[in-house]
Amino acid sequence: MSLTDVGARVPFTRGDPFFQTTPDAFDAHVKAFARKLGDLPVSFVSVRPLPEAETGFCHRNVAECVDLYGGHCVTGYAFWKSRLFIIAEAHSVWATPTGQLIDPTPAAEGETRICFALDPSLVDAFNKSRPPPNRAMSIVDKADPAAVAQEIGRLSPARLEYEKRRANRAGLDIETHIANKIGRTALSIAVDEFIVASEARDLLVTQTLTRVLSHDRAAFRNAQLKVCRLEDRIRQLLARSEGETPNIVASVDPLADVRTNSEGGATARAPGFDGLIAALLDPSFDVVAVDLASSGPKVLYAGNLEDDAPPQPL
């Protein structure tokens, strides 16, 4: 089945809750994710891009290093952390002849080091037509910390000791134990649903440096709509918890977990842009007339060259 262009890779900007970059340290979240992936060893690896190396082509860049300087390829995951989750992206780095690990692939946001989890089992996966899918883990509190503290404060000394013993038997601290009893927050549920929806969406796409292709345009659109609705839901919940008015812009094109350099800042989408993209990508139209107004593009009509009747307005 042929691939169809379904949209552009749209980055998140620094400060956005979905923006991802290298974790600052081997914190509890990084360690927990490494355990979840199979007790993988984690280290920081310096980024030293090869001349003309391209982001997103790590395996090819490493192979070039091996051809030029010797050494060998090491596979694993690059960890990227946002305010909401950690993503493990299948990645390869170069082991020099002396055994030092170096990443010859330029990082999307210009990071000078990556957080790398070694996983030799990915060697075979890199040799397949599709790279291994991303893995993700929510880092949002499962329960409201304030509610947990309040619940602990209500316990009598005797009951507190009892709950501590129960927590200890389960290998948990008292806060986590009480949080499990209280139940999950709406934000925690939404982030987990967002991760599941993003993983399902990603199975439908093949990404290039700037575009997103899919073998099933309709299925992709439905999957992307679900991702975008969950993204909007998360933004609303975050704004509500911070006492702000959410600024939600509906969209069906951006890929939620795409990492593309965003130093230039966010570009606001003009009204009518989605309609323009849809018309230009629709194979049933040969002619698309567009009004490039200062307020944004507007599709005036679309039709076919062989039609006797004039193109119909959209």
Side-chain angles (χ1 to χ4, degrees):
M1 186 178 295
S2 61
L3 292 172
T4 302
D5 191 321
V6 292
R9 294 164 63 98
V10 180
F12 292 108
T13 56
R14 294 182 186 275
D16 188 282
F18 290 87
F19 177 83
Q20 304 152 39
T21 189
T22 300
D24 293 331
F26 300 131
D27 57 21
H29 294 139
V30 171
K31 293 176 181 177
F33 198 24
R35 287 195 300 271
K36 182 177 180 180
L37 294 175
D39 289 322
L40 303 181
V42 183
S43 63
F44 284 115
V45 175
S46 296
V47 177
R48 301 179 192 172
L50 275 177
E52 300 183 3
E54 293 182 274
T55 301
F57 293 89
C58 60
H59 218 49
R60 185 178 70 186
N61 298 332
V62 171
E64 185 174 347
C65 280
V66 173
D67 289 342
L68 291 173
Y69 310 112
H72 61 277
C73 174
V74 176
T75 59
Y77 293 98
F79 283 5
W80 307 109
K81 187 177 182 181
S82 76
R83 177 179 168 185
L84 303 167
F85 47 77
I86 298 182
I87 284 182
E89 177 187 28
H91 194 61
S92 59
V93 298
W94 175 47
T96 69
T98 61
Q100 181 184 6
L101 295 184
I102 294 175
D103 188 359
T105 302
E109 295 294 334
E111 291 92 344
T112 58
R113 67 176 186 173
I114 64 167
C115 183
F116 184 72
L118 177 66
D119 188 353
S121 70
L122 292 181
V123 170
D124 292 337
F126 270 105
N127 294 326
K128 297 180 180 179
S129 58
R130 289 182 62 89
N134 291 344
R135 307 281 296 277
M137 182 186 79
S138 171
I139 59 174
V140 174
D141 288 326
K142 301 302 181 184
D144 182 1
V148 172
Q150 185 178 36
E151 187 67 23
I152 293 175
R154 291 174 179 169
L155 300 176
S156 67
R159 183 56 184 264
L160 179 59
E161 288 303 316
Y162 169 75
E163 295 294 351
K164 284 183 177 179
R165 289 195 298 271
R166 291 189 62 192
N168 187 58
R169 286 197 295 270
L172 304 173
D173 56 43
I174 183 63
E175 288 79 12
T176 303
H177 171 65
I178 296 298
N180 290 340
K181 296 183 67 173
I182 290 177
R184 300 172 63 195
T185 63
L187 179 61
S188 171
I189 294 171
V191 170
D192 281 343
E193 291 178 350
F194 174 85
I195 289 172
V196 172
S198 296
E199 290 174 346
R201 184 273 319 279
D202 289 349
L203 294 176
L204 297 170
V205 302
T206 297
Q207 298 179 16
T208 68
L209 283 177
T210 58
R211 306 298 297 175
V212 180
L213 310 176
S214 178
H215 61 273
D216 190 333
R217 182 179 178 183
F220 167 81
R221 182 176 178 83
N222 290 335
Q224 183 60 29
L225 281 171
K226 184 174 183 179
V227 169
C228 288
R229 291 188 183 112
L230 286 166
E231 179 188 329
D232 290 350
R233 169 68 172 158
I234 290 169
R235 293 187 186 279
Q236 291 170 343
L237 291 170
L238 286 172
R240 189 180 305 163
S241 67
E242 296 166 0
E244 300 175 356
T245 301
N247 181 20
I248 305 300
V249 179
S251 171
V252 297
D253 287 338
L255 287 184
D257 55 359
V258 166
R259 304 184 69 257
T260 306
N261 193 291
S262 58
E263 288 299 327
T267 301
R269 172 164 294 176
F273 188 86
D274 288 335
L276 172 60
I277 291 295
L280 292 175
L281 295 179
D282 194 323
S284 65
F285 295 146
D286 295 325
V287 179
V288 177
V290 182
D291 177 13
L292 296 177
S294 59
S295 60
K298 178 182 179 181
V299 178
L300 299 178
Y301 56 79
N304 300 310
L305 292 174
E306 66 271 23
D307 288 347
D308 293 331
Q312 297 299 311
L314 293 181

